[in-house]
């Protein structure tokens, strides 16, 4: 009965895939032909314009007159040395990390609550997901009311007797205040208010994905853990959570992408903030390009964002493709 | 190790009574098999012993303790699941060690037990692998190993072989039986496969619709089924059931089968006395009948005439389907027998192997003093 399986595994992969490919050959070709129109459109309007932006970012087009002379990496040097863009990168990192962490934790808690075989589960699911349907700008407006230091939730804190109430998104403090070069690399406190709003808006998504993940963990696995003597916490940490690694990766990648694109929320709540303490690369790109008419520098920011986005998504997509095989 | 006792154990799901007033005494070191068709409540019974399912009524004792209200971890049991339920992210070693770790077993003790179990099960080379890198048979043994290392009072197994292919299943059956002897363990084993039940069980519990039909040794279940359900659920092909009319001649009971008289053996008399109606059913297994030419019926056999309708050759033997009146009777003959379809034959039934049933209640008419066939 001690039959080794390693060689069988290796051969199975090669022998099974070849015939499958041959049978699918015709279907593949058909699929390819029907996809040609959309491939062309996608090629021109997405990848074509990306390439165009890449090109513009290497030119001197920094006024209303399209000066397409070669500038090399000068625009990149300019933005990376600017106080504003450095602040943007700090804010982006802080925002992304806090937003994703908050999203994962709140999403998981909501999913665990909904997964308790409660009544009206569908209702709760809808309630938690609903904020996603709201535009980021609206979310921003709602939360700037709630978190308005003089009229919002602070009234409640005052009523409870607190005298030191948070300034929320109007704060320009850094905690802690640590200087590195020209910028402060602490956490901009004003940004925390934006994180709260973003988590409120997006944690329903994390909940939905986690709920699906939780539902796909076989009941028997939890029962095996119970028999092995694990309590609910131990079962969650040692048995359930490890099954949700892929689910977590999916949420992280999708939310990181969302976080890189965050614009409306910032625009509606804080704007760039004092000393760019709540500025974001997107806001910078928008203003540099369309208000400052520095098209090449705006394009450079866009390309940096694109590369950051790729850094998150490409490994994920590759691992998904590998998983499919 | 310890025995298990189920007392008036009942489980309802809404209106469905999945397990209905089950009383069972499982001895220490016994290999008890719960056998029955799908949906008869075997799994539910096992899960109640494990503590994964609550009891609607009744009590369960392990050793001398009433465990009815205890969570699984305090019952000192281990369970082998049908789909093994191995932790996918843990290695074979970690899978086996997990339960021990939770019970705060010292590290070197864990190591010793896991390696011992791996040795017994031939898993030593695979300790660092994850479940998905193992074959079905190996996974099954990891699931067994996870139970063994715990050294529980009782092993609970729910169709542990059903996901293996036929050859591996036969092999594992033998190994499991050997393991039972080696560990001296109390095992409660659920299956719908009568071959597994017959080959492994020290005793078998046959269930139907949540109700225990019979608790007996494999031989008892096979030879002296308590009702027609057990008679036909166990055995391939199942026991022949032949309708007959009961009469008596000079103080002896005689059955009329398709107009032919069959003088019933003495041991059936006490049971038959309780019959008020005339209709009865005779039961006999295919291997307890011989097909003969007319005259030479050996001693201890009861003849009835019939016609061969179908012959099913199986290589080492053949199944001969004969018509006796309105009944089809299957006879197991070795492959030296030469007969043709439409032959008139005499079916010589071994009288000691005869069973009788009340066709209304479908219960056996054999009293419990009825001797087992020699
Ligand atoms: N969780 C449950 N909810 C409702 N009905 C159940 C549940 N578990 C089992 N049953 C019912 O109880 C009966 C016995 O099921 P089970 O013990 O799984 O049978 P077996 O293992 O013998 O196939 C079946 O009719 C099944 O539908
Ligand atoms: Mg079952």
């Amino acid at each position: 009965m001690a039959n080794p399986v390693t060689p069988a595994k290796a051969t199975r992969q090669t022998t099974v895939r070849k015939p499958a490919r041959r049978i699918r050959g015709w279907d593949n070709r058909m699929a390819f032909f029907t996809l040609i129109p959309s491939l062309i459109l996608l090629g021109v309007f997405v990848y074509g314009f990306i390439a165009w932006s890449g090109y513009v970012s290497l030119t001197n087009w920094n006024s209303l007159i399209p000066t397409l002379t070669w500038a090399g990496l000068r625009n990149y040097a300019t933005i990376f040395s600017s106080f504003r863009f450095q602040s943007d990168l700090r804010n982006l990192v802080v925002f992304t990390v806090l937003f994703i962490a908050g999203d994962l934790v709140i999403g998981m808690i909501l999913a665990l609550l909904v997964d308790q075989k409660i009544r009206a589960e569908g209702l709760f699911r809808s309630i938690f997901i609903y904020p996603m349907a709201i535009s980021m700008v609206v979310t921003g407006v709602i939360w700037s009311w709630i978190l308005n230091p003089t009229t919002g939730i602070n009234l409640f804190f005052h009523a409870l007797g607190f005298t030191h109430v948070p300034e929320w998104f109007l704060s320009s403090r850094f905690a802690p205040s640590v200087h590195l070069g020209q910028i402060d690399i602490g956490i901009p406190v004003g940004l925390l208010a934006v994180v709260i709003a973003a988590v409120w808006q997006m944690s329903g998504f994390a909940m939905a994905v986690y709920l699906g993940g939780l539902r796909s963990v076989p009941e028997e696995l939890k029962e095996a853990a119970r028999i092995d003597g694990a309590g609910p916490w131990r079962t969650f940490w040692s048995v359930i959570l490890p099954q949700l690694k892929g689910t977590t990766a999916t949420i992280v990648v999708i939310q990181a992408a969302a976080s890189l694109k965050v614009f409306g929320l910032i625009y509606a709540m804080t704007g760039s903030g004092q000393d760019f303490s709540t500025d974001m690369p997107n806001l910078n790109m928008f203003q540099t390009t369309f208000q400052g008419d520095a098209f090449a520098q705006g394009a450079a920011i866009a390309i940096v964002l694109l590369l950051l986005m790729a850094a998150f998504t490409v490994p994920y997509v590759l691992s998904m493709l590998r998983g499919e095989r | 190790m310890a025995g298990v006792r189920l007392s008036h154990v009942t489980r309802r799901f809404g209106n469905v009574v999945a397990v209905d007033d089950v009383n069972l005494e499982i001895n220490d070191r016994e290999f008890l098999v719960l056998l029955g068709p799908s949906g008869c409540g075997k799994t539910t019974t096992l899960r109640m012993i494990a503590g994964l399912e609550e009891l609607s009524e009744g009590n369960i004792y392990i050793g001398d303790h009433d465990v009815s209200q205890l969570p699984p971890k305090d019952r000192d049991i281990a369970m082998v699941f049908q789909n093994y339920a191995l932790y996918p992210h843990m290695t074979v070693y970690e899978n086996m060690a997990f339960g021990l770790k939770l019970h705060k077993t010292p590290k070197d003790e864990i190591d010793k037990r896991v390696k011992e179990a791996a040795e017994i099960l031939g898993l030593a080379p695979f300790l660092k692998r994850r479940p998905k890198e193992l074959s079905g048979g190996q996974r099954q043994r990891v699931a067994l190993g996870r139970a063994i290392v715990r050294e529980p009072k009782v092993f609970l197994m729910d169709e542990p072989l059903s996901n293996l292919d036929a050859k591996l299943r036969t092999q594992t059956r033998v190994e499991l039986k050997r393991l039972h002897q080696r560990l001296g363990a109390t095992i409660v084993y659920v299956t719908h496969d009568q071959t597994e039940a017959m080959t492994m069980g020290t005793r078998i519990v046959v269930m139907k619709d949540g109700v225990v039909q019979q608790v007996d040794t494999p031989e008892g279940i096979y030879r002296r089924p308590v009702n027609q359900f057990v008679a036909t659920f166990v055995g391939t092909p199942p026991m022949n059931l032949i309708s007959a009319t009961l009469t008596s001649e000079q103080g002896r009971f005689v059955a009329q089968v398709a107009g032919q008289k069959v003088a019933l053996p003495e041991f059936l008399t006490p049971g038959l006395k309780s019959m008020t109606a005339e209709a009865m059913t005779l039961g006999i297994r295919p291997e307890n009948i011989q097909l003969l030419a007319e005259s030479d019926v050996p001693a201890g056999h009861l003849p009835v005439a019939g016609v061969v309708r179908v012959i099913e050759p199986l290589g080492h033997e053949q199944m001969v389907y004969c018509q006796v009146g309105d009944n089809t009777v299957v006879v197991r003959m070795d492959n030296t027998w030469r007969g043709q379809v439409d032959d008139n034959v005499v079916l010589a039934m071994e009288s000691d192997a005869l069973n009788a049933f009340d066709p209304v209640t479908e219960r056996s008419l054999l009293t419990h003093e009825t001797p087992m066939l020699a």
Side-chain angles (χ1 to χ4, degrees):
Chain A
M1 223 169 105
N3 40 349
V5 285
T6 7
K9 200 180 162 199
T11 45
R12 191 180 49 211
Q13 282 187 345
T14 44
T15 48
V16 170
R17 252 199 292 150
K18 265 186 197 161
R21 212 178 253 176
R22 218 171 291 145
I23 294 164
R24 283 207 217 111
W26 173 246
D27 277 355
N28 273 344
R29 234 167 294 157
M30 258 328 264
F32 182 71
F33 283 125
T34 44
L35 282 175
I36 281 181
S38 44
L39 283 178
I40 291 174
L41 291 174
L42 202 68
V44 172
F45 289 102
V46 176
Y47 297 101
F49 282 96
I50 288 177
W52 172 246
S53 297
Y55 173 65
V56 168
S57 75
L58 300 171
T59 68
N60 287 312
W61 186 10
N62 281 321
S63 67
L64 279 177
I65 303 146
T67 323
L68 292 176
T69 51
W70 189 251
L73 294 173
R74 199 172 333 122
N75 291 312
Y76 290 90
T78 309
I79 59 163
F80 273 107
S81 61
S82 79
F83 175 77
R84 182 173 186 179
F85 193 68
Q86 287 180 7
S87 301
D88 289 349
L89 289 179
R90 170 201 63 211
N91 295 347
L92 187 64
V93 169
V94 168
F95 180 79
T96 304
V97 168
L98 294 180
F99 164 60
I100 289 179
D103 205 45
L104 291 177
V105 172
I106 304 280
M108 177 58 92
I109 290 173
L110 292 179
L112 286 172
L113 291 176
V114 170
D115 196 32
Q116 299 305 308
K117 301 188 175 88
I118 48 167
R119 257 196 244 175
E121 182 201 310
L123 177 71
F124 283 107
R125 251 186 343 217
S126 313
I127 290 176
F128 294 145
I129 293 182
Y130 180 68
M132 277 183 71
I134 301 175
S135 135
M136 278 277 189
V137 178
V138 176
T139 304
V141 172
I142 294 172
W143 279 92
S144 46
W145 278 99
I146 297 176
L147 298 180
N148 187 303
T150 50
T151 60
I153 198 168
N154 278 0
L155 293 177
F156 183 68
F157 289 142
H158 279 301
L160 288 179
F162 292 99
T163 44
H164 288 287
V165 290
E167 287 180 278
W168 301 113
F169 58 92
L170 293 184
S171 170
S172 54
R173 281 196 313 121
F174 288 85
S177 183
V178 185
H179 283 276
L180 182 76
Q182 50 181 339
I183 64 159
D184 192 321
I185 56 164
I187 296 174
V189 175
L191 207 51
L192 294 180
V194 186
V195 169
I196 291 174
V199 168
W200 176 82
Q201 171 139 42
M202 296 304 289
S203 55
F205 169 77
M207 176 215 66
V209 180
Y210 267 140
L211 192 59
L214 285 174
R215 295 272 154 94
S216 69
V217 175
E219 205 57 38
E220 281 194 345
L221 220 52
K222 300 175 203 167
E223 289 178 345
R226 261 178 89 191
I227 290 201
D228 267 342
W233 269 114
R234 190 63 201 245
T235 306
F236 178 73
W237 281 114
S238 301
V239 177
I240 298 176
L241 206 54
Q243 310 305 311
L244 300 177
K245 266 191 205 152
T247 311
T248 306
T250 303
I251 300 172
V252 167
V253 169
I254 292 175
Q255 300 298 56
S259 152
L260 286 168
K261 289 191 289 193
V262 68
F263 181 84
L265 201 56
I266 299 275
Y267 202 80
M269 279 185 86
T270 62
S272 296
Q274 188 186 332
D275 294 335
F276 300 117
S277 61
T278 59
D279 196 42
M280 281 287 161
N282 265 321
L283 217 59
N284 185 353
M285 175 177 69
F286 178 75
Q287 288 172 346
T288 304
T289 312
F290 298 110
Q291 289 162 10
D293 298 326
F295 292 94
Q297 280 177 31
I301 296 174
I303 295 299
V304 172
L305 279 180
L306 180 81
L307 293 178
L308 283 174
M309 187 85 81
F312 271 103
T313 46
V314 169
Y316 176 71
V317 170
L318 284 182
S319 79
M320 292 297 270
L321 286 178
R322 216 173 299 135
E324 259 173 41
R325 276 181 198 166
Chain B
M1 298 298 145
V4 180
R5 189 155 63 86
L6 278 68
S7 164
H8 300 288
V9 168
T10 298
R11 172 71 208 199
R12 294 181 205 93
F13 294 107
N15 289 331
V16 180
V17 186
V19 175
D20 192 356
D21 193 31
V22 168
N23 294 287
L24 266 183
E25 190 87 45
I26 302 163
N27 301 323
D28 192 14
R29 291 160 188 254
E30 182 163 28
F31 196 130
L32 186 92
V33 179
L34 297 180
L35 174 69
S38 178
C40 73
K42 311 178 293 286
T43 297
T44 308
T45 307
L46 197 75
R47 288 169 56 86
M48 285 193 287
I49 301 176
L52 293 173
E53 201 80 67
E54 279 176 24
L55 286 77
S56 301
E57 268 169 49
N59 294 84
I60 293 176
Y61 303 84
I62 295 179
D64 300 324
H65 301 287
D66 184 344
V67 298
S68 317
Q69 304 301 325
L70 293 183
K73 69 180 170 70
D74 297 333
R75 295 192 179 196
D76 207 355
I77 45 101
M79 187 153 169
V80 179
F81 291 84
Q82 185 169 2
N83 302 320
Y84 318 141
L86 301 178
Y87 309 120
H89 58 291
M90 295 187 200
T91 62
V92 169
Y93 186 99
E94 290 164 341
N95 261 284
M96 293 204 258
F98 187 61
L100 294 175
K101 250 190 238 165
L102 294 178
H103 283 86
K104 308 227 156 48
T105 316
K107 259 211 162 69
D108 43 347
E109 173 72 12
I110 294 180
D111 197 59
K112 192 182 123 233
R113 287 208 214 166
V114 169
K115 290 198 168 138
E116 238 171 55
E119 206 52 56
I120 296 176
L121 296 166
L123 286 170
F126 309 111
L127 283 174
K128 291 220 170 67
R129 295 219 194 150
R130 278 173 221 287
K132 68 165 182 283
E133 299 159 339
L134 298 175
S135 70
Q138 289 165 342
R139 280 179 212 180
Q140 202 274 333
R141 276 176 285 148
V142 177
L144 274 178
R146 188 166 65 178
I148 291 174
V149 295
R150 294 269 313 281
E151 298 177 1
K153 287 202 181 113
V154 184
F155 288 88
L156 305 172
M157 306 189 183
D158 191 358
E159 315 222 9
L161 306 187
S162 61
N163 285 344
L164 302 180
D165 60 48
K167 190 173 162 220
L168 205 52
R169 202 177 313 158
T170 316
Q171 224 171 38
T172 315
R173 224 159 58 198
V174 178
E175 286 184 10
L176 214 50
K177 197 167 170 173
R178 205 178 297 146
L179 197 65
H180 170 240
Q181 285 156 2
R182 175 166 181 174
L183 298 175
T186 309
I187 299 181
V188 185
Y189 185 104
V190 161
T191 183
H192 65 271
D193 182 322
Q194 46 153 319
T195 318
E196 278 177 27
M198 287 292 167
T199 51
M200 292 194 290
T202 49
R203 280 192 308 160
I204 297 174
V205 178
V206 182
M207 291 181 71
K208 181 199 175 197
D209 299 336
V211 180
V212 170
Q213 307 289 307
Q214 186 168 6
V215 185
D216 209 335
T217 59
E219 198 190 12
I221 297 272
Y222 190 76
R223 305 239 188 246
R224 298 296 182 215
V226 297
N227 59 29
Q228 294 186 16
F229 171 78
V230 178
T232 49
F233 185 74
V234 174
T236 31
M239 182 180 276
N240 290 300
L241 296 178
I242 306 165
S243 354
T245 315
L246 191 63
T247 56
S248 80
E249 280 177 15
Q250 297 144 11
R252 277 200 71 172
F253 284 108
V254 173
Q256 299 260 4
V257 179
Q260 310 174 52
K261 283 182 189 171
V262 177
L264 294 174
E266 205 67 55
F267 69 82
L268 288 176
T269 310
L272 292 171
K273 274 184 181 153
S274 64
M275 291 288 289
T276 47
E278 282 196 329
M280 69 166 299
T281 303
L282 289 175
I284 186 150
R285 296 230 170 250
E287 61 272 27
N288 298 125
I289 309 177
Q290 288 178 52
L291 295 181
L292 301 171
E294 191 103 28
S295 50
D296 46 356
V297 177
H301 285 68
L302 305 167
V304 281
V307 184
V308 175
R309 288 298 178 210
V310 176
I311 301 173
E312 191 180 57
L314 295 174
H316 61 294
E317 61 185 12
Q318 41 195 338
M319 295 298 159
V320 185
Y321 293 78
C322 304
Q323 189 182 347
V324 179
D326 292 336
N327 303 287
T328 301
V329 179
V330 191
V331 182
R332 190 195 297 267
M333 295 297 288
D334 62 27
N335 53 12
T336 56
W337 182 79
R338 297 273 174 270
Q340 302 279 320
V341 171
D342 292 337
D343 279 359
N344 287 310
V345 284
V346 169
L347 294 84
M349 304 183 288
E350 238 174 284
S351 65
D352 284 349
L354 215 54
N355 282 273
F357 301 95
D358 180 336
V360 181
T361 63
E362 302 199 344
R363 290 238 184 87
S364 175
L365 292 169
L366 273 66
T367 52
H368 56 269
E369 297 98 46
T370 308
M372 192 71 80
L373 188 65

